[in-house]
Amino acid sequence: MTLLNIAEICPHTRTLGPGNRFVIWVQGCSFNCPGCISPEWIPQTQATLIDPEKLGNLILSQPNLDGITVSGGEPMLQAIALTKLFQHLRNHRDISIICYTGFTLDEIRTKADIIPLLELIDVIIDGQYIASLNDNQGWRGSSNQNIHFLTPRHLPQSALFTTKKRDVELHIRNDSALMVGVPPHGFREDFKQAVKL
Ligand code: SF4
């Protein structure tokens, strides 16, 4: 069985794509972008292993969900398990799927084992994060990252991906707080300081 190695989940957010979305952050990335928003999820170590269908059932059980967003970490490193998850979701509901990746779409299209995953994604946001190109707007970290609409589903909201004013949600856990969204300039430092207090 191919399991997903996930760092975190958030069952509901409105900060990572249109509508009400379930977010999955996978553990492990092959890049090391300076200024990465989630450096603790770069190491390719075992975090939480989960059967894709089991995670799919959890997602499908959430009320009023419009879609899922997958980030990380690097989702393409877990393409086979994500393909199983996305197929399971789509077998039950026509749900929106947005995925971030540090690879470019052209690079991904050369990898035969990732092509089935691409065929299930509505929007892919590609390219590594470059801090000097962070223009402080939209649902992508820096302006070099491209928004590829692989299906027409989110074309009516296309401008939001690059121009939306950034916002974040803080999800309070038992002994920690999870920041969800693409943060405005300086927010991450302020947030870390506030969590320490
Ligand atoms: S590709 Fe994304 S997760 Fe990986 S190091 Fe770069 S910003 Fe971080």
Side-chain angles (χ1 to χ4, degrees):
M1 180 189 296
T2 305
L3 299 175
L4 263 173
N5 185 19
I6 57 174
E8 257 297 354
I9 60 169
C10 176
H12 293 280
T13 184
R14 292 188 170 274
T15 61
L16 283 173
N20 182 24
R21 313 189 70 84
F22 192 111
V23 186
I24 302 162
W25 292 271
V26 299
Q27 179 71 42
C29 183
S30 47
F31 304 105
N32 193 8
C33 309
C36 170
I37 192 177
S38 49
E40 63 275 29
W41 298 336
I42 292 176
Q44 296 185 46
T45 54
Q46 180 178 317
T48 300
L49 298 179
I50 186 165
D51 171 19
E53 288 200 4
K54 191 173 169 190
L55 180 58
N57 291 338
L58 175 65
I59 294 168
L60 292 165
S61 73
Q62 304 300 314
N64 306 317
L65 206 63
D66 297 304
I68 69 165
T69 298
V70 182
S71 186
E74 174 49 60
M76 297 305 138
L77 297 183
Q78 302 191 48
I80 293 173
L82 283 175
T83 301
K84 288 185 190 303
L85 170 66
F86 295 173
Q87 279 172 338
H88 185 70
L89 292 172
R90 286 278 172 75
N91 285 343
H92 291 82
R93 198 188 305 167
D94 185 25
I95 196 168
S96 153
I97 299 176
I98 296 175
C99 191
Y100 290 82
T101 175
F103 293 101
T104 66
L105 184 57
D106 285 343
E107 288 171 329
I108 292 169
R109 283 185 165 141
T110 65
K111 301 175 193 295
D113 55 332
I114 304 182
I115 298 300
L117 181 70
L118 278 186
E119 291 172 353
L120 294 160
I121 293 173
D122 292 299
V123 181
I124 192 162
I125 300 166
D126 77 351
Q128 295 177 47
Y129 172 68
I130 300 177
S132 61
L133 297 179
N134 182 343
D135 60 2
N136 208 27
Q137 56 185 352
W139 283 314
R140 46 101 174 97
S142 50
S143 60
N144 61 297
Q145 295 172 322
N146 295 301
I147 319 294
H148 300 278
F149 295 92
L150 304 182
T151 74
R153 186 191 301 267
H154 288 304
L155 283 176
Q157 302 101 14
S158 61
L160 293 175
F161 284 81
T162 51
T163 62
K164 188 181 186 304
K165 186 173 183 292
R166 289 188 184 164
D167 52 8
V168 294
E169 296 170 0
L170 297 182
H171 292 249
I172 306 302
R173 306 288 170 84
N174 284 341
D175 56 358
S176 63
L178 176 69
M179 183 182 71
V180 184
V182 183
H185 281 317
F187 184 88
R188 182 177 166 84
E189 293 70 26
D190 294 345
F191 173 64
K192 283 168 78 174
Q193 193 62 34
V195 168
K196 276 187 204 153
L197 295 176

